[in-house]
Amino acid sequence: MRTVAPTISVVLPARDEGDRVGATVASALGAAAEPDGIEAVVVDDCSSADGRPRVAAGADRRRTRIIRSELHLGVGAARNLAARHAHGRLLFITDAHTRFSDGWDHEVRRLIAPSRILSVTVRDRASAWRGHGCRLVVPHMGTRWNTAPPATGTRAHVQIASSAGTVVQRALFERLGGYDEGMVHYGGFEPEFSVRAWRAGAEIVHTTTVEVTHRFKPEAECTAFLAAARTAMVHNCLRFGTAHLPESMILEMVRLHALEYPDHIREALVMLEQRSAWGRRAELARSLPHGFASFVRRFALLDQIGRPVPEV
Amino acid sequence: MLTAAAEPAALRALRDDPTALADRFGLSGDVRDRLADAEQLVPRDARGEYVTITLHTITITAGHGL
């Protein structure tokens, strides 16, 4: 029986991940310098019977809580649910198919600060590739990986922390309101959260001293996944852009998606209205101290063909 | 306006005739210009067909996607 509250909660959504969850938990605990300070909080996001999270009996299982959702929440709402059940002061948000570098918890405790989100290095388990946070692509509202490591000796601000490795104090996560549950299922949650964090006055700092090795889907699996998720992803991009972009760019964004995804745009626009995207924009304008323009200036952001981003 | 964009006629104009869409909704200035120029954002292949940019939360970079 646990007598000491954990300081770090490893938070992950899992939908049909099965044994991969147990391997992730085992890695997080096995690689930790102080495993007694770690708990895992898993949201079983309406997995099928064969795909439910499986964690080995013993120490791993004692340090793991699995919350079952009978509805498909999607990654954002699932992470929020896991965070609500977390006991740790720090949240290490990751995916259900990752491996942790040795001593990760020591580094996280050393580097975190009240208004700081850590972005950790993401490795591909099948190659030498590494990602060092992401950057925003506007007006599409997608992202690109940073593949060059940040310069040493500097505080490496990045625009977006990856879903595979985002570390944040639970108090800050709650103050920010977690991930946007107006988005659906998959796509856009992490960049929207990151941009909102920047607008709220937090910073996102990348570290190369913590690495998470991630299982990227093989091409065939990726293609099938995207085919099923595309409408949700189009909607989420539109909602993200409606929430944050200068107003003069919003229609441009919509037309871009209409050109690229003609079979998905109508349903995405209907969802956008039903889920009150403009209300969300107004709410963020009232509550956040900084506009999107501050994010643009900080990172000298240009649009995806190199043009300046307008102020309004 | 975005609600109206879900109508089939408006969607066709959004894709193929942004000038008509801009006229219908009284758009002017930078919004109108950016709407018209949005095609520049979408790459085309050698046949002139639009190429889907598979950009999403975990991005396709050097083959690393989801």
Side-chain angles (χ1 to χ4, degrees):
Chain A
M1 181 185 295
R2 175 182 295 285
T3 56
V4 178
T7 54
I8 303 177
S9 300
V10 176
V11 165
L12 57 106
R15 179 171 167 82
D16 293 328
E17 297 277 357
D19 290 334
R20 287 194 284 262
V21 175
T24 298
V25 172
S27 172
L29 295 174
E34 298 174 41
D36 283 349
I38 312 296
E39 68 168 0
V41 185
V42 179
V43 167
D44 172 7
D45 192 4
C46 199
S47 301
S48 63
D50 291 341
R52 292 196 181 192
R54 291 187 286 276
V55 179
D60 290 358
R61 192 60 185 90
R62 284 197 298 274
R63 292 191 176 93
T64 302
R65 277 177 295 126
I66 300 176
I67 298 103
R68 165 79 178 175
S69 174
E70 296 295 339
L71 296 175
H72 180 196
L73 298 174
V75 291
R79 289 182 195 130
N80 289 348
L81 179 59
R84 288 196 292 275
H85 283 81
H87 294 148
R89 183 175 60 85
L90 305 181
L91 304 178
F92 193 118
I93 299 165
T94 190
D95 294 332
H97 35 260
T98 53
R99 301 290 184 272
F100 287 62
S101 56
D102 288 341
W104 64 271
D105 54 329
H106 171 77
E107 281 298 289
V108 158
R109 289 192 188 92
R110 184 176 71 84
L111 295 170
I112 202 68
S115 290
R116 177 179 300 161
I117 296 169
L118 289 181
S119 159
V120 311
T121 297
V122 177
R123 298 182 61 170
D124 174 27
R125 72 178 189 179
S127 74
W129 181 91
R130 284 178 170 80
H132 303 279
C134 297
R135 57 193 185 276
L136 187 64
V137 177
V138 297
H140 191 283
M141 309 312 289
T143 62
R144 290 194 181 279
W145 284 103
N146 301 322
T147 53
T152 55
T154 61
R155 181 178 298 172
H157 284 145
V158 292
Q159 298 177 25
I160 291 158
S162 161
S163 65
T166 297
V167 189
V168 58
Q169 289 192 357
R170 185 156 53 93
L172 176 58
F173 184 82
E174 291 169 355
R175 178 166 71 83
L176 294 173
Y179 294 97
D180 177 13
E181 297 190 20
M183 294 185 168
V184 292
H185 293 163
Y186 182 85
F189 289 94
E190 303 82 14
E192 195 281 330
F193 176 78
S194 294
V195 168
R196 185 158 33 92
W198 279 110
R199 290 185 59 186
E203 63 174 352
I204 303 178
V205 173
H206 185 75
T207 177
T208 57
T209 61
V210 178
E211 293 189 337
V212 166
T213 302
H214 181 267
R215 174 191 178 269
F216 288 97
K217 289 179 172 55
E219 185 172 346
E221 187 180 339
C222 197
T223 300
F225 182 90
L226 287 175
R230 181 60 72 190
T231 301
M233 293 169 66
V234 172
H235 164 266
N236 291 352
C237 282
L238 297 183
R239 181 176 172 92
F240 182 12
T242 302
H244 295 279
L245 283 178
E247 191 165 338
S248 62
M249 290 187 85
I250 292 175
L251 267 181
E252 172 186 28
M253 169 191 66
V254 174
R255 183 161 188 243
L256 168 59
H257 283 274
L259 290 169
E260 281 195 77
Y261 308 112
D263 296 334
H264 302 274
I265 187 67
R266 182 166 188 272
E267 186 176 347
L269 285 171
V270 171
M271 289 167 61
L272 195 70
E273 175 70 16
Q274 289 173 341
R275 302 178 85 85
S276 304
W278 284 99
R280 172 75 168 168
R281 179 184 179 88
E283 174 195 336
L284 296 181
R286 282 192 300 271
S287 62
L288 297 176
H290 304 293
F292 186 71
S294 70
F295 180 85
V296 172
R297 283 192 297 271
R298 173 182 288 277
F299 292 107
L301 188 69
L302 301 175
D303 78 3
Q304 62 201 61
I305 55 173
R307 300 175 303 182
V309 174
E311 288 272 332
V312 296
Chain B
M1 204 245 118
L2 287 184
T3 305
E7 300 166 4
L11 270 177
R12 279 194 296 274
L14 183 67
R15 280 178 51 84
D16 304 324
D17 194 354
T19 300
L21 191 76
D23 289 343
R24 174 179 169 185
F25 290 100
L27 305 178
S28 62
D30 199 34
V31 175
R32 185 182 184 104
D33 294 340
R34 284 187 165 269
L35 181 66
D37 293 342
E39 291 174 49
Q40 298 178 38
L41 299 166
V42 190
R44 296 181 190 245
D45 62 20
R47 295 170 300 171
E49 299 293 326
Y50 290 122
V51 175
T52 296
I53 306 173
T54 311
L55 292 173
H56 47 80
T57 307
I58 300 183
T59 303
I60 304 293
T61 299
H64 289 86
L66 299 171

